[in-house]
Amino acid sequence: MQTGTPEDDSAQEPDASVPEHEEENPDAPYIFYNDIVIEHFTNPRNVGEIDNADGFALVGDPACGDQMKLWIKVDAGYIVDIKFKSFGCPGAIATSSMATQLAMGMHIDDAKLLTDDDIVRALGGIPSNKEHCSLMGVGALQAAIRDYEQRSSIKS
Amino acid sequence: MNRPTIYFDHNATTPLCPEARNAMLPFLETAFGNPSSYHHLGRQARASLQSARRELAAVLKCSPAEVVFTSGGTEANNMALRGVAAALKDRGRHIITSAIEHHSVLKTAEALAGDGYDVTFIPVDAQGVVDPECVAEVTRADTILISVMSANNETGALQPALELGACARRHGIAFHTDAVQTFGKIPMGAVLEHADLVTLASHKIYGPVGAGALLVRRGTPLASVITGGHHEHGLRAGTENVAAIAGFAAAAQQAVSGLDTEAARIAALRDRFEERLLATIPNISINSRAAGRVPNTSNICFSGVESESVLLHLDLLGICASAGSACTTGEPEPSHVLRAMGLSSMQAQGALRFSLGRSTTAEQVDMVVGVLAGIIKKLREVSSL
C-alpha cells in the first residue's frame, strides 16, 4: 500500500468531492422476499371489486410503478367486506393483500390505527427497498375509510 | 420444488463452455506465472497470453497488436471513450454517442461532459435504431469520436455501425462500437472493418467473467487510462488475467465456428417464442420487432402488469429472464432504452427481456410461453389497470 505525502492527507480525510455511494444498509435484514410475502404475492387475499361499496380509494401512480384500488363494505361500523386490485411489484401486491387481510372484520376506528409497520410485521418483514410498498396499502385503507365517512355524513 | 432451470437471460451472462473451461484450467493450477516474469513460469504464461491474443486476432481478422485485453466490456468502453478523449483533447472536445448505449458508455460520456467535453446524445426511432443521417448532421469540425453500439442489449436492435463507421471515416473521426451483444451472435466482419475501436466481452460468449478486449485499429489515437507497467502495448497496465484471457480466446473461437447454423437455430426459436406469445396472450407488443435484431433477443411489453411481478412468478418456476426496470424506491427508473424509443413510463414498466442461447430448446420455448400465459392472466386479474 502506498502512503500519502505529508501534505496529502486524503487517506485520512474523506474528499468532499467524492460522491456519496449508495451503500447497502448493513442492518437490512432481508435481501429477498420471505415465504409469507411470496405466499401473499402468489395467492393474494381479497382480490376483486365490490359492487355498491360503501367506501372506495384509488392511490398510487402507475407511471411510478404501482397503483391500488380498494373497496370496503361497512356494517355497523365494521368492515364486513374488503376487496382490492393492485398494479405493481411483488412487494406492492403482497402488502395490498396483507392490508386487506388485517382490515377484514375490523371496526373502522381500529382499522384507522393500522400502520405500514403493522403490515410489514404481519408479513414477517420485507426487503428494505420495498418498505415503501406497504404505505400504499395503508394509504388506500385510510382513504377508503374517509370516503365511507364522507358518504355517510352526506346521507345523514 | 425441484424444477430444472430454464435460462432465458443470456444477454446478462452465459455459462462457461467446456472449451473455455479446459483452456483456463492450467492457469488455475500449475501454470500460475506472471507473464512479466523472467523465469520459465513467466515465459510459459507470456507464451500463453500471446497465443490467446493471436487466436482472438484471427477470429477478429485483425493484427495481434490491435488486441488490448481488458477486464471486460465496461473497462473497454471506458478505455475507448476516455482514451480517445484524452488523446485528442487539443484537437477537439465534441463526442457523439446515442441515447440507448449501455451505462458503461452513457455514464462515461456524462463524466466526460462534466470534464469539459461536449457530448451529443443521438436519439433513436420508435424501433430503437439510430439514424446515421442524424449523426452526420451533428458532426462538427471539433468532433473527435462517434461511439454507437452494434446492437442494443435490451431490445437486440442492430445499429447502423457500418454506415456510422463509414461516415466517421469520411470526416476523419474515430469510431467506436460496443459490440458486446453482437460478437458471437452474428457474423460481424464488415463492422470490424469499419470501426477503429471495438468492445468485446468474454462472459457474453460462454467465456469467463473478468476478461474482455478493446480492438484498437492501428493508428487510432488512444491515451492509456490505466497507467503502470507496460502491459497490453502500454495501453492497459496491470498483470494480465491469463486464465480468463485464455478462456475468452477459446470461447471466441468456439463462438464463431458454426456461427451461421447456431444463429439460424436461435433465430427460429426466438421467432417461435414470439409467434406463440402473440397467439396466446392478448395485449402484448414486441419491441424493435420491425428492426434488424440479434437473433436471440426478445423484448416484450405486457400491458397492465409490472415486470418484477412477472419475473418473480417466472423465477418461482425456475425460469430466468430480466426486466428493464426494477421498482426499488417507489420511483423506478424504467429502461432508458425503451423510453428513448418513445414508450411511456407505464409501457416500459411492463417490459421483459428474454435472451436465448445455446442451451435453449423448442420444448423450453413452449413451456415458457405456457407459463407466461398463466402468469400474465393471473396478474391482470389482480391488476388495477
Side-chain angles (χ1 to χ4, degrees):
Chain A
M1 217 178 102
Q2 285 190 334
T3 49
T5 53
E7 59 274 16
D8 171 21
D9 56 1
S10 60
Q12 284 80 40
E13 292 288 319
D15 186 345
S17 71
V18 172
E20 265 188 53
H21 292 276
E22 223 175 276
E23 275 180 36
E24 211 161 299
N25 179 4
D27 300 323
Y30 308 104
I31 57 163
F32 195 58
Y33 304 110
N34 67 36
D35 290 348
I36 308 172
V37 177
I38 287 178
E39 207 277 317
H40 271 264
F41 166 68
T42 49
N43 299 300
R45 319 295 196 269
N46 307 310
V47 173
E49 304 180 12
I50 299 177
D51 294 332
N52 308 315
D54 298 316
F56 170 74
L58 169 63
V59 298
D61 178 0
C64 295
D66 48 21
Q67 185 195 62
M68 182 178 184
K69 289 177 179 168
L70 187 75
W71 293 261
I72 53 172
K73 195 86 191 153
V74 181
D75 187 21
Y78 286 88
I79 296 174
V80 293
D81 198 9
I82 184 165
K83 291 265 191 283
F84 84 94
K85 283 195 167 181
S86 283
F87 162 83
C89 70
I93 292 174
T95 53
S96 297
S97 168
M98 183 53 90
T100 63
Q101 181 171 312
L102 291 178
M104 177 76 94
M106 262 191 182
H107 193 277
I108 54 169
D109 291 342
D110 297 325
K112 281 184 202 171
L113 301 176
L114 276 178
T115 67
D116 50 324
D117 283 342
D118 294 330
I119 295 174
V120 170
R121 211 173 299 123
L123 285 169
I126 194 158
S128 54
N129 62 350
K130 296 289 181 180
E131 275 168 3
H132 68 275
C133 293
S134 56
L135 292 168
M136 188 169 71
V138 165
L141 181 61
Q142 307 310 345
I145 292 172
R146 275 199 304 279
D147 180 49
Y148 158 72
E149 288 178 333
Q150 268 172 8
R151 292 191 203 188
S152 33
S153 69
I154 292 166
K155 269 188 220 162
S156 58
Chain B
M1 206 165 56
N2 239 344
R3 287 172 182 276
T5 295
I6 296 182
Y7 190 74
F8 276 23
D9 201 16
H10 289 83
N11 285 10
T13 195
T14 53
L16 195 66
C17 66
E19 293 79 6
R21 181 179 179 276
N22 291 338
M24 293 174 76
L25 282 177
F27 309 103
L28 301 172
E29 291 167 351
T30 50
F32 60 87
N34 183 327
S36 298
S37 291
Y38 174 81
H39 48 67
H40 67 283
L41 283 178
R43 288 197 299 278
Q44 182 187 18
R46 193 150 66 245
S48 303
L49 181 64
Q50 282 166 355
S51 83
R53 194 186 309 282
R54 276 196 303 273
E55 284 164 22
L56 188 62
V59 166
L60 301 173
K61 298 190 172 56
C62 68
S63 155
E66 295 176 316
V67 174
V68 179
F69 285 115
T70 67
S71 63
T74 289
E75 188 193 320
N77 281 340
N78 268 266
M79 182 185 280
L81 268 70
R82 294 178 193 273
V84 170
L88 296 181
K89 64 177 187 294
D90 295 328
R91 205 184 94 192
R93 298 206 162 199
H94 183 226
I95 295 168
I96 300 171
T97 187
S98 86
I100 58 160
E101 297 299 308
H102 187 266
H103 281 124
S104 55
V105 167
L106 277 186
K107 297 284 175 188
T108 304
E110 284 168 13
L112 287 168
D115 287 344
Y117 289 85
D118 193 0
V119 183
T120 303
F121 295 94
I122 299 291
V124 291
D125 63 17
Q127 289 299 319
V129 178
V130 169
D131 180 358
E133 299 281 318
C134 282
V135 176
E137 276 169 31
V138 300
T139 300
R140 314 191 309 218
D142 64 338
T143 306
I144 51 172
L145 176 68
I146 298 173
S147 175
V148 175
M149 64 201 335
S150 301
N152 183 263
N153 49 309
E154 292 185 28
T155 63
L158 294 169
Q159 304 303 319
L162 238 110
E163 291 89 330
L164 292 170
C167 164
R169 198 152 286 176
R170 271 199 309 280
H171 291 86
I173 301 165
F175 176 62
H176 165 246
T177 188
D178 173 355
V180 162
Q181 295 293 349
T182 41
F183 183 51
K185 292 193 179 118
I186 53 168
M188 46 178 300
V191 169
L192 291 174
E193 279 169 34
H194 283 77
D196 300 303
L197 299 149
V198 182
T199 291
L200 307 169
S202 156
H203 74 108
K204 310 287 191 190
I205 60 162
Y206 306 87
V209 178
L214 185 66
L215 189 166
V216 183
R217 191 66 64 201
R218 208 186 299 272
T220 307
L222 194 72
S224 84
V225 173
I226 298 178
T227 49
H230 289 286
H231 313 86
E232 296 303 304
H233 326 302
L235 285 171
R236 198 272 189 186
T239 300
E240 301 87 344
N241 186 350
V242 183
I245 288 168
F248 177 23
Q253 286 182 315
Q254 185 61 24
V256 296
S257 74
L259 176 58
D260 291 333
T261 326
E262 178 63 2
R265 186 188 77 88
I266 290 184
L269 288 174
R270 195 262 313 267
D271 292 346
R272 178 190 182 104
F273 180 61
E274 292 184 344
E275 278 155 21
R276 292 190 174 212
L277 278 179
L278 285 167
T280 315
I281 307 177
N283 295 318
I284 66 171
S285 56
I286 296 167
N287 296 308
S288 296
R289 198 179 189 210
R293 286 181 292 170
V294 286
N296 78 319
T297 307
S298 189
N299 189 301
I300 301 172
C301 282
F302 298 90
S303 71
V305 302
E306 192 273 340
S307 53
E308 192 203 335
S309 285
V310 184
L311 271 191
L312 178 55
H313 271 303
L314 286 170
D315 188 31
L316 292 171
L317 297 169
I319 300 165
C320 307
S322 97
S325 66
C327 158
T328 51
T329 62
E331 284 178 29
E333 282 181 36
S335 149
H336 68 284
V337 176
L338 299 181
R339 296 287 281 129
M341 289 163 62
L343 269 69
S344 70
S345 175
M346 275 265 292
Q347 290 171 306
Q349 305 279 352
L352 273 96
R353 178 188 71 185
F354 302 89
S355 43
L356 317 186
R358 276 181 207 165
S359 63
T360 310
T361 63
E363 289 70 33
Q364 288 183 345
V365 164
D366 294 351
M367 179 179 283
V368 173
V369 171
V371 163
L372 266 173
I375 290 171
I376 301 301
K377 183 167 181 288
K378 185 171 176 144
L379 284 172
R380 282 180 178 165
E381 282 166 6
V382 180
S383 176
S384 58
L385 297 182

